Amino acid sequence: MRVAVVSMLTTYHLETGATRRTRRVAEQLAARGHEVTILCTQWWDGDIDAFERNGVTYRAVTRVPAAGTFATRLPRALFGLSPDVVHASNHPPSAAATACTAGTFLRTPVLVDWWRDHDDDGEFAYRRVARGADGVFAPSRMIETDVREHGAKDEAVDVVPESIDMSLVRETPADDRADIVYARELDRHANVESFLLALAELRTRGWRAAVIGDGPARSDAESMARDLRIDHRVDFLGECSAEQRVAVCKGAHVFVQTADREPFATNLLRALACGCVGIVEYQAASSAHELVEGCPRGVRVTSPQEIADEIAAASDVAHATVNDDFEDYDHHAVLERYLDAYRAALGEYGLL
């Protein structure tokens, strides 16, 4: 299958949840033998129009990221590829909407992967995409609701979550440096303060904690830990590989999720698969609570005090290092959901 992926920005421009998701899906499709081309802004040096990495061809639509110019030049690039399926990022919506229009002329289904809304994109632009796409992928029910509010038909939206490597979870040895773990990019939405306040409530108990991740809010978090006089018991590990994250989570007993914005809580998913008890502070703009709904080793709370109470209560839960209930989130299983959607869309067009 020839798949054209429309993504003005890539992980080589900017690491975001959306660009990481796009790269992972593209590389997994390529590994399965599909011909994958990402139409993007050039990120490599030189005057060549295309660059291959990890089995995926990156083809430059523009030299610099400019949404208007990118959208204008996109149809020519799509016609040149003649793909079987177009897989487009929802941001910028001008490019996604142009992909939908081009798909009509190409008689090619266009499926939009909708990570989250951006405040500066505008409602009208999103409505064009939501109504024009042949299908929409959303990482969570929260984002699914947003897409439907933009005008997408209920049957057009599939919830396709982020995925993890369950074989890595099973095979990685545990690193028991911490009992309680927090993991996320430390930006303005991290809300690591709730985590630290909860730990401070438990200062008379014996525990060790780890904060995985880096970002502009790290120094404030470290300062807060010192002010709360728990800094000697909280290890700020910075950026860690997937293997390191899995090892720390397998050694830990509790994972705490407090971020106030999360289209999909991948770090929480990984920790739950590693057997951690998941404690999620509910936030209106976070889908994290969806992962612990109906999960025997998960709980939703609303305050740092409740986080502290649930950490204490978790001592009565047996330690585990693998939770097979999350097998459906394995890379292979989730990729099949994308492929099933591609096949269904091709069938609607009479191309199978």
Side-chain angles (χ1 to χ4, degrees):
M1 189 183 304
R2 294 188 308 277
V3 182
V5 178
V6 176
S7 181
M8 186 178 76
L9 299 178
T10 71
T11 56
Y12 302 107
H13 298 97
L14 184 66
E15 282 268 357
T16 67
T19 59
R20 284 191 292 267
R21 179 173 168 97
T22 298
R23 176 181 174 178
R24 188 191 68 251
V25 173
E27 291 182 356
Q28 290 174 353
L29 286 168
R32 290 281 294 273
H34 300 285
E35 184 180 323
V36 183
T37 301
I38 297 183
L39 298 174
C40 60
T41 297
Q42 182 173 332
W43 51 266
W44 55 92
D45 295 330
D47 296 327
I48 57 175
D49 293 328
F51 191 90
E52 184 174 330
R53 179 164 288 181
N54 295 333
V56 175
T57 298
Y58 292 81
R59 183 165 295 277
V61 177
T62 57
R63 301 297 180 189
V64 296
T69 304
F70 186 88
T72 300
R73 296 181 180 176
L74 181 60
R76 181 177 179 180
L78 284 170
F79 275 83
L81 288 177
S82 189
D84 298 312
V85 172
V86 177
H87 180 128
S89 171
N90 71 299
H91 176 74
S94 56
T98 298
C100 293
T101 302
T104 301
F105 288 99
L106 284 166
R107 285 195 52 76
T108 300
V110 178
L111 298 109
V112 175
D113 212 342
W114 204 296
W115 181 251
R116 71 173 180 88
D117 290 0
H118 290 250
D119 295 338
D120 56 350
D121 281 339
E123 172 63 21
F124 176 74
Y126 280 143
R127 292 185 76 83
R128 286 181 61 205
V129 178
R131 293 176 174 181
D134 295 292
V136 177
F137 302 117
S140 59
R141 297 197 308 272
M142 181 186 76
I143 301 300
E144 177 190 24
T145 299
D146 292 343
V147 176
R148 287 177 174 173
E149 289 177 350
H150 290 312
K153 296 179 180 179
D154 289 355
E155 63 273 17
V157 187
D158 286 334
V159 175
V160 179
E162 285 288 80
S163 63
I164 55 174
D165 186 348
M166 284 299 295
S167 63
L168 181 69
V169 170
R170 292 191 176 89
E171 296 166 7
T172 301
D175 178 341
D176 62 358
R177 73 177 66 197
D179 307 300
I180 310 163
V181 177
Y182 171 102
R184 191 190 185 276
E185 179 185 1
L186 301 182
D187 60 13
R188 63 192 178 94
H189 296 292
N191 188 30
V192 71
E193 297 87 354
S194 284
F195 176 63
L196 297 174
L197 287 170
L199 294 180
E201 291 290 327
L202 300 168
R203 67 176 72 251
T204 61
R205 291 175 174 262
W207 51 261
R208 298 162 302 159
V211 175
I212 298 174
D214 207 346
R218 177 174 174 174
S219 60
D220 288 342
E222 291 175 330
S223 177
M224 183 175 183
R226 288 192 296 271
D227 291 344
L228 292 170
R229 298 181 182 177
I230 57 172
D231 54 304
H232 60 294
R233 301 171 69 182
V234 182
D235 193 0
F236 286 82
L237 302 180
E239 280 301 327
C240 295
S241 67
E243 292 82 359
Q244 292 169 321
R245 290 170 186 249
V246 166
V248 173
C249 287
K250 288 185 74 171
H253 188 56
V254 174
F255 183 93
V256 179
Q257 172 79 29
T258 60
D260 60 34
R261 174 181 285 181
E262 207 74 275
F264 187 90
T266 306
N267 289 297
L268 171 64
L269 169 62
R270 186 181 291 113
L272 290 169
C274 289
C276 285
V277 175
I279 300 174
V280 178
E281 184 178 42
Y282 177 78
Q283 304 286 348
S286 170
S287 69
H289 62 277
E290 296 177 19
L291 286 171
V292 297
E293 290 176 0
C295 175
R297 298 179 69 86
V299 63
R300 190 181 81 172
V301 299
T302 58
S303 69
Q305 181 59 61
E306 289 183 0
I307 294 173
D309 293 342
E310 293 298 336
I311 291 174
S315 61
D316 295 329
V317 180
H319 183 76
T321 56
V322 179
N323 189 336
D324 290 325
D325 291 345
F326 292 90
E327 186 65 43
D328 288 345
Y329 291 90
D330 181 65
H331 289 322
H332 177 80
V334 173
L335 184 65
E336 282 299 325
R337 295 173 68 168
Y338 278 109
L339 288 169
D340 286 345
Y342 291 169
R343 296 181 189 113
L346 286 166
E348 290 290 326
Y349 271 70
L351 299 175
L352 286 178

